[in-house]
């Protein structure tokens, strides 16, 4: 049997990841650390005041799709997964920063003229960074609106608890600071600290790794680029190294 990997991403973001794990021969369990909630809306959204859209997650794209069918504005995306979601939902002009929020800010500075109008940023209530603050000194006006909520989990399922307590899990994948932070809180809540000493953690970025640093792991790793593809490549290398 292949190594057992624990996925902590929300269900809405996990389909491609789980398919990729299966293709690579990994067994997997899922413990979504966040549940995504999209508030109902009856009022069509007017995008005419804006010159472009900013997306920092695929869920932001999904939420925007609930607001309007208008795809006339260019979309600037934090990474390739978010950009793919834009294309799937009919956006014609899509650009990816292929990185984190700082890379997205750099892309906006490069591609957008602040004098041409404000930008619309559909986002969660809690975000990993404040683009408006980052870009304010460059003259950008960013209208960030809460269009979905990421609700932290307050429990682990019985099968995940059993796998952790019996040391069946080989690797845990972390994609965001908030999912990592939520996992750490649950570890302390269930008193699982000693059950992680044989588990490796693979993180999308240093910011994610910093949230799990107070736990005792076998090893922790950070993807060289903050994308799912690089994280999966690292996973393969980690497992190969453990076998040799």
């Amino acid at each position: 049997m292949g190594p057992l990997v624990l996925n902590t991403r929300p269900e809405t973001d996990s389909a491609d990841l789980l398919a990729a794990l299966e293709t690579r021969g990994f067994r997997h369990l899922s413990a979504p650390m966040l549940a995504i909630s999209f508030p109902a809306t009856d009022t069509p959204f007017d995008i005419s005041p804006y010159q472009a859209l900013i997306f920092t997650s695929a869920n932001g794209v999904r939420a925007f799709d609930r607001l309007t069918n208008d795809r006339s504005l260019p979309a600037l995306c934090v990474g390739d997964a978010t950009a793919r979601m834009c294309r799937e939902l009919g956006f014609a002009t899509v650009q990816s920063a292929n990185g984190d929020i700082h890379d997205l800010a750099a892309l906006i500075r490069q591609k957008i003229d602040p004098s041409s109008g404000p930008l619309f940023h559909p986002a969660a209530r809690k975000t990993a960074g404040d683009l408006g603050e980052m870009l304010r000194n460059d003259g950008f006006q960013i209208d960030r609106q809460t269009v979905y909520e990421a609700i932290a989990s307050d429990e682990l399922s019985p099968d995940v608890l059993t796998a952790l307590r019996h040391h069946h899990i080989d690797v845990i994948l972390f994609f965001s600071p908030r999912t990592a932070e939520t996992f750490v809180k649950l570890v302390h809540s269930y008193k699982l600290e000693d059950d992680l000493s044989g588990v490796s953690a693979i993180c999308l970025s240093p910011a994610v790794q910093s949230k799990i640093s107070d736990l005792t792991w076998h090893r922790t790793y950070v993807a060289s680029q903050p994308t799912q593809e690089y994280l999966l490549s690292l996973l393969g290398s980690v497992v190969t190294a453990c076998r040799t």
Side-chain angles (χ1 to χ4, degrees), residues 101-146:
I101 195 167
H102 299 283
D103 298 306
L104 178 56
L107 179 68
I108 293 168
R109 292 186 188 101
Q110 178 185 359
K111 300 294 184 179
I112 300 295
D113 179 359
S115 66
S116 296
L119 298 88
F120 180 60
H121 178 199
R125 189 175 306 278
K126 294 184 179 180
T127 61
D130 189 340
L131 276 170
E133 184 65 29
M134 291 179 188
L135 295 169
R136 183 170 291 114
N137 290 338
D138 298 289
F140 288 96
Q141 179 185 342
I142 296 177
D143 181 6
R144 189 182 89 179
Q145 293 189 24
T146 299

Side-chain angles (χ1 to χ4, degrees), residues 59 74 85 145 154 228:
N59 285 312
M85 179 59 63
Q145 293 189 24
D154 59 2
Q228 178 172 296

Side-chain angles (χ1 to χ4, degrees), residues 4-244:
L4 181 58
V5 177
L6 181 64
N7 161 48
T8 61
R9 297 192 93 177
E11 289 185 8
T12 53
D13 297 318
S14 290
D16 289 347
L17 173 64
L18 299 183
L21 289 173
E22 292 174 3
T23 298
R24 290 164 170 79
F26 294 104
R27 296 176 297 136
H28 57 78
L29 282 174
S30 287
M33 291 294 100
L34 301 173
I36 307 302
S37 173
F38 299 98
T41 178
D42 298 324
T43 305
F45 184 72
D46 179 15
I47 66 171
S48 62
Y50 304 104
Q51 63 160 317
L53 305 170
I54 301 172
F55 293 111
T56 49
S57 72
N59 285 312
V61 184
R62 296 183 182 102
F64 181 84
D65 182 51
R66 293 167 176 259
L67 297 177
T68 177
N69 293 322
D70 193 326
R71 302 292 186 263
S72 60
L73 293 182
L76 291 89
C77 304
V78 67
D80 292 345
T82 304
R84 281 196 298 272
M85 179 59 63
C86 281
R87 295 186 182 100
E88 288 175 10
L89 292 179
F91 285 90
T93 304
V94 180
Q95 297 185 74
S96 171
N98 192 30
D100 60 16
I101 195 167
H102 299 283
D103 298 306
L104 178 56
L107 179 68
I108 293 168
R109 292 186 188 101
Q110 178 185 359
K111 300 294 184 179
I112 300 295
D113 179 359
S115 66
S116 296
L119 298 88
F120 180 60
H121 178 199
R125 189 175 306 278
K126 294 184 179 180
T127 61
D130 189 340
L131 276 170
E133 184 65 29
M134 291 179 188
L135 295 169
R136 183 170 291 114
N137 290 338
D138 298 289
F140 288 96
Q141 179 185 342
I142 296 177
D143 181 6
R144 189 182 89 179
Q145 293 189 24
T146 299
V147 292
Y148 72 95
E149 185 143 14
I151 304 167
S153 175
D154 59 2
E155 63 179 5
L156 293 169
S157 66
D159 58 338
V160 170
L161 275 173
T162 298
L164 286 168
R165 286 173 171 158
H166 289 81
H167 306 156
H168 293 162
I169 292 173
D170 299 289
V171 180
I172 303 179
L173 306 180
F174 295 103
F175 283 80
S176 76
R178 192 164 177 225
T179 55
E181 186 176 47
T182 302
F183 180 83
V184 170
K185 290 179 180 178
L186 290 175
V187 166
H188 293 318
S189 174
Y190 285 98
K191 303 187 186 312
L192 297 170
E193 293 88 347
D194 294 339
D195 296 310
L196 298 176
S197 59
V199 181
S200 292
I202 300 182
C203 304
L204 194 69
S205 70
V208 177
Q209 185 188 40
S210 70
K211 297 298 183 180
I212 62 166
S213 61
D214 72 327
L215 297 178
T216 300
W217 301 89
H218 174 59
R219 287 184 180 175
T220 63
Y221 302 87
V222 178
S224 58
Q225 297 290 330
T227 69
Q228 178 172 296
E229 289 75 16
Y230 277 88
L231 186 144
L232 287 171
S233 177
L234 178 57
L235 173 62
S237 299
V238 168
V239 170
T240 299
C242 290
R243 288 173 172 169
T244 58

